[in-house]
Amino acid sequence: MSVFETDDHRSFRQDVRDFAASEVAPHVSQMETSRKVDSQVSGWIVAQGWLGLTIPRKYGGIGAGHLAKTIAIEEIARVSAAMGAMLQASQLGAAMIIHYGTEEQKQTWLPQIATGECLPTIAVTEHESGGHVLGMQTTARRVGDHYVLDGSKVYVGNSHIGHVHGVVARTCDADTRPSKSLSAFLVRADLPGVRLVPYQRALGLHGFSFGDIVFDNVAVPASDRLGDEGDGLDVAYSSSVLYGRPNLTAVALGILQATADATVSFTKKRHRYGEPLAHHPVIGQRIGRLEHQLRTARTLAYQAAHMLDHGQACDNELINAKYYTVETALDATRDAVRIHGGAGLRTDRPLQRFYRDAIHIDAPAGTAEIQLHRLAETALGVDRGQWSERFAHLTALPPPATAKENAA
């Protein structure tokens, strides 16, 4: 329980928790065994309408805000980090449209996303550029009323189950030479020339798709450009900061909670020298440290989401929450495996899965080093402003209706 939660949040948490226990948990073992991209469980989750948690009601969304979104991702990730990652990744694609879409684009795409009919992705990263977005090589050249895209993207969340890809590419100038400006486009997955690379299995997050997409002479209508030419970097960064960081924080928080649950249960049941393992001072201290980490991480995560919901400047809080929670999840899962001993390494127990899954949460939306670099910029007074201020009118929840308005 957190001071940032309302009764509505707590009720919603229980609904998501019940759903995760009944509809997601029974399929985790199969996802781990097959290590294939899951579409069935993913479909069940998005059908609940949770992609629309931050989509305004006027576009068919729930409009419940970022803290509600954090709770949903956390509770799903507590059972399956892979499905938590699936839920969080699609939110970034929706964010691109919320932040930079025209009214027509919002009316076209957001209702479909809110109902789960459409899964959007965000496709920015490339092999040669990694986190250096300005180093990307994918190009978009204007030809009449279309842009023609050529290049490839890697590690695209929900790549193999997405319906529309939010692609950032280097815009070509008039003589078709790549310019320094980046632009963003909504690229339908079924357009000719869009090709999925056969999925490569990864260390963790089994069931989640984060694969590679090739764009070969893909003609995208100019009406599907997001924002103006040259807005691509802003489209990518605003989504990454305001959605990517809190969403990944929520996944890490779910892993951390699951780790605490499993460790406490194990140390209560396992006996050494005639008493539960939990009663041994060293183990008790480790459990106390885990509880401290969990409480601190949840406070940081919920505070940042609460600030987003209230239109407050909170870029640094979002950065701090991601850094602390992901680093803590990495440390905590490693320590929990040690507490479990040999039992923690067995594939019939969840600890090794938590450990593998936690490693996947570091790089997206900026590694730990990137988060520290951003915090250093703020400390040194050289940061470039806050996205949470620029988009406060879109992240903040509308004020609650007055008694008079409710009566009307």
Side-chain angles (χ1 to χ4, degrees):
M1 184 178 294
S2 163
V3 296
F4 300 109
E5 292 179 86
T6 65
D7 288 341
D8 286 343
H9 285 133
R10 285 185 275 275
S11 176
F12 176 62
R13 178 190 297 281
Q14 191 59 55
D15 289 342
V16 180
R17 184 174 295 179
D18 291 345
F19 173 88
S22 63
E23 304 299 332
V24 180
H27 300 274
V28 171
S29 178
Q30 189 276 331
M31 286 190 282
E32 284 296 302
T33 301
S34 71
R35 299 176 65 182
K36 295 179 180 178
V37 174
D38 171 85
S39 58
Q40 183 180 51
V41 180
S42 298
W44 295 339
I45 293 172
V46 299
Q48 304 307 304
W50 295 330
L51 293 184
L53 282 165
T54 61
I55 294 176
R57 292 178 180 272
K58 66 188 262 187
Y59 299 117
I62 298 174
H66 287 266
L67 181 51
K69 169 172 62 71
T70 295
I71 290 170
I73 296 170
E74 175 193 352
E75 288 297 328
I76 295 295
R78 184 178 183 177
V79 171
S80 168
M83 291 299 98
M86 182 283 300
L87 182 58
Q88 76 82 22
S90 287
Q91 302 279 352
L92 275 74
M96 298 174 76
I97 302 171
I98 293 172
H99 294 163
Y100 281 91
T102 63
E103 184 61 26
E104 182 179 357
Q105 288 169 337
K106 290 177 181 179
Q107 293 283 0
T108 298
W109 292 106
L110 292 181
Q112 298 180 59
I113 295 170
T115 59
E117 297 172 63
C118 172
L119 256 71
T121 77
I122 182 169
V124 177
T125 305
E126 298 182 7
H127 272 305
E128 299 301 321
S129 57
H132 176 47
V133 178
L134 288 173
M136 70 172 57
Q137 299 300 309
T138 297
T139 59
R141 67 183 189 279
R142 183 71 182 253
V143 180
D145 59 356
H146 284 71
Y147 286 86
V148 178
L149 271 62
D150 285 286
S152 62
K153 299 294 180 179
V154 298
Y155 314 133
V156 178
N158 292 330
S159 54
H160 286 60
I161 60 174
H163 300 103
V164 62
H165 306 299
V167 182
V168 177
R170 186 170 301 285
T171 320
C172 293
D173 58 24
D175 57 4
T176 72
R177 291 182 303 182
S179 69
K180 292 183 179 180
S181 73
L182 305 178
S183 300
F185 305 89
L186 292 170
V187 182
R188 292 168 172 80
D190 59 359
L191 284 179
V194 177
R195 178 170 61 84
L196 293 169
V197 176
Y199 189 70
Q200 299 294 314
R201 294 175 177 178
L203 178 67
L205 296 184
H206 298 154
F208 174 57
S209 165
F210 59 112
D212 306 347
I213 307 175
V214 174
F215 303 96
D216 183 7
N217 206 39
V218 179
V220 180
S223 59
D224 286 341
R225 187 187 66 215
L226 281 169
D228 296 328
E229 278 197 9
D231 282 347
L233 190 64
D234 287 354
V235 173
Y237 277 1
S238 65
S239 299
S240 176
V241 173
L242 301 182
Y243 278 72
R245 284 171 180 159
N247 290 3
L248 290 159
T249 299
V251 176
L253 189 58
I255 295 173
L256 191 55
Q257 181 66 69
T259 300
D261 294 341
T263 303
V264 169
S265 176
F266 176 82
T267 56
K268 283 182 176 180
K269 295 177 181 177
R270 183 62 59 93
H271 283 63
R272 286 292 184 270
Y273 310 112
E275 61 179 352
L277 192 59
H279 291 179
H280 290 268
V282 172
I283 300 301
Q285 288 179 1
R286 289 189 178 185
I287 292 174
R289 179 171 179 266
L290 179 56
E291 180 68 11
H292 154 71
Q293 292 171 321
L294 177 60
R295 287 175 177 267
T296 303
R298 179 165 285 116
T299 297
L300 292 176
Y302 286 16
Q303 177 194 26
H306 175 84
M307 293 175 74
L308 270 179
D309 282 342
H310 287 77
Q312 299 172 12
C314 58
D315 284 28
N316 292 321
E317 284 76 12
L318 295 169
I319 291 169
N320 193 48
K322 180 179 188 281
Y323 173 76
Y324 181 84
T325 307
V326 173
E327 289 298 295
T328 297
L330 290 168
D331 289 343
T333 52
R334 179 193 60 203
D335 290 347
V337 169
R338 288 173 173 170
I339 292 172
H340 281 68
L345 303 175
R346 295 182 56 142
T347 56
D348 62 341
R349 292 181 180 271
L351 257 296
Q352 49 78 34
R353 169 165 60 89
F354 303 156
Y355 186 46
R356 289 184 286 103
D357 289 346
I359 295 171
H360 283 257
I361 310 303
D362 178 46
T367 62
E369 289 77 14
I370 293 295
Q371 311 308 317
L372 293 177
H373 177 67
R374 296 303 180 205
L375 290 174
E377 288 181 331
T378 298
L380 295 170
V382 295
D383 62 294
R384 301 177 183 178
Q386 299 203 41
W387 291 104
S388 47
E389 286 184 313
R390 183 171 172 181
F391 288 100
H393 63 293
L394 296 176
T395 64
L397 290 171
T402 64
K404 183 177 180 180
E405 289 171 331
N406 284 330

